[in-house]
Amino acid sequence: MPAEEGVSEEVVVVVSGGEPPDPRAARAVPLGAPVVAADRGLEHALSLGLEVTLAVGDFDSASPEAVAVAESAGVRIERYPQEKEATDLELALEAAAAMNPSRILVLAGDGGRLDHQLSTLLLLASERHARVEVDALIGQAWVHVIRGSRRLEGTPGDLVSLLTVGGAAEGVTTEGLAYPLRGETLDAGTSRGISNVFLADSAQISL
């Protein structure tokens, strides 16, 4: 059943177009969470066994048959012209944010066009979504947007990299990582936070 705009959701899932997500990505989806598909993400979501709430985009990559089947099944379809000023993923993120969730989870594939990959990462960190906790599973890699403080789950030996977007991150402090940061500043464009290592099943990162 489509989620109504203005109704607060705990988690909204966005399935990106482009390369398909990892087949195991469905395990990360909370039961009953609304799913917003970005163009070909409609086909990806269906292949993962997810029930799509809303599909948005210009639908230049999703097959007409898949769109028609989804529409007949009650999926809300929002069509945009091909010559638009935002990617399908950006439109899907805006639609997800309009559902007032506390968290947005993006499922996407790795590989494909480099410009789209960079755009995806920048969209996740956009200040427009600052009030929402944003996570993404891109291929087999997790991406977490950190504002303030977050505890990340992992296993000992897992790699974790810290990258700043939109300027310097000040007062960066970590717990549970092999190479601790203690109130340090990570400037944009530095590799200082690359390839840290989990020491336990979780790590705390704050700034």
Side-chain angles (χ1 to χ4, degrees):
M1 182 176 180
E4 296 179 7
E5 185 172 320
V7 176
S8 179
E9 299 286 352
E10 185 174 350
V11 181
V12 174
V13 177
V14 173
V15 182
S16 178
E19 296 298 310
D22 187 279
R24 296 165 291 184
R27 301 176 187 174
V29 177
L31 184 65
V35 175
V36 180
D39 202 317
R40 192 182 172 198
L42 173 63
E43 296 183 21
H44 298 333
L46 296 177
S47 70
L48 291 173
L50 302 178
E51 184 176 342
V52 178
T53 303
L54 169 67
V56 302
D58 54 23
F59 298 103
D60 62 344
S61 55
S63 71
E65 294 78 13
V67 175
V69 168
E71 199 163 19
S72 66
V75 176
R76 186 155 53 96
I77 306 293
E78 290 186 5
R79 299 178 184 274
Y80 291 82
Q82 281 192 306
E83 295 183 358
K84 57 189 187 303
E85 297 182 351
T87 63
D88 296 321
L89 177 58
E90 182 172 357
L91 295 173
L93 285 170
E94 293 294 333
M99 297 179 185
N100 298 317
S102 58
R103 177 177 178 242
I104 293 176
L105 170 62
V106 178
L107 305 181
D110 55 9
R113 285 173 49 177
L114 178 60
D115 55 347
H116 278 294
Q117 293 179 57
L118 293 173
S119 173
T120 294
L121 295 174
L122 293 173
L123 284 171
L124 296 176
S126 171
E127 283 299 313
R128 286 174 294 171
H129 310 308
R131 66 176 183 80
V132 184
E133 191 173 87
V134 178
D135 298 305
L137 182 55
I138 302 178
Q140 296 183 30
W142 279 100
V143 177
H144 307 280
V145 179
I146 301 174
R147 292 182 172 90
S149 180
R150 290 194 67 178
R151 179 164 293 278
L152 306 182
E153 303 301 320
T155 57
D158 282 352
L159 292 177
V160 57
S161 294
L162 305 177
L163 297 169
T164 63
V165 178
E170 299 178 348
V172 180
T173 300
T174 64
E175 297 177 12
L177 297 180
Y179 309 107
L181 299 174
R182 299 184 176 91
E184 299 184 39
T185 296
L186 291 182
D187 291 312
T190 180
S191 59
R192 175 74 174 84
I194 296 293
S195 296
N196 215 319
V197 182
F198 274 83
L199 291 176
D201 293 332
S202 66
Q204 183 79 21
I205 300 171
S206 58
L207 54 94

